[in-house]
Amino acid sequence: MNIIKACWLFIKSYFSKLYAVYFIRWQISTVVMMPFMYVLDSLGLSVIPNLIIAQTIGSLIFFRLDKLIFNFFDRIKKKKQCKEAD
């Protein structure tokens, strides 16, 4: 029972930190995407094409950042596992 509780606490703490960082990143992406959506709207694009184009631009911009976020937390997790193994 203690092992299960310890595992649950580890998972809970890992994902809460990861979620907090990702939430902040998501809010930043909203601000970054606004100019693209405004320009596309002023060109007379309807909502669906505007959203598809803006999301494509956003994915190109934030792909690297998302990769850095998840790699950072994976490295922390691996370091903890190595310390626990020693």
Side-chain angles (χ1 to χ4, degrees), residues 32-49:
V32 170
M33 295 305 298
M34 288 287 288
F36 296 110
M37 294 188 79
Y38 180 77
V39 169
L40 293 171
D41 185 52
S42 67
L43 293 173
L45 237 53
S46 64
V47 174
I48 300 298

Side-chain angles (χ1 to χ4, degrees), residues 22-81:
Y22 198 73
F23 178 80
I24 291 167
R25 197 267 330 145
W26 194 264
Q27 298 308 311
I28 292 169
S29 72
T30 304
V31 175
V32 170
M33 295 305 298
M34 288 287 288
F36 296 110
M37 294 188 79
Y38 180 77
V39 169
L40 293 171
D41 185 52
S42 67
L43 293 173
L45 237 53
S46 64
V47 174
I48 300 298
N50 187 335
L51 187 61
I52 292 170
I53 293 169
Q55 290 296 319
T56 303
I57 293 168
S59 69
L60 293 171
I61 292 171
F62 285 99
F63 175 74
R64 299 287 273 170
L65 183 60
D66 290 346
K67 195 173 181 179
L68 287 172
I69 290 170
F70 289 114
N71 285 340
F72 174 75
F73 280 98
D74 283 342
R75 278 185 267 146
I76 290 174
K77 187 172 107 176
K78 286 179 184 176
K79 283 182 184 179
K80 283 184 180 180
Q81 289 174 348

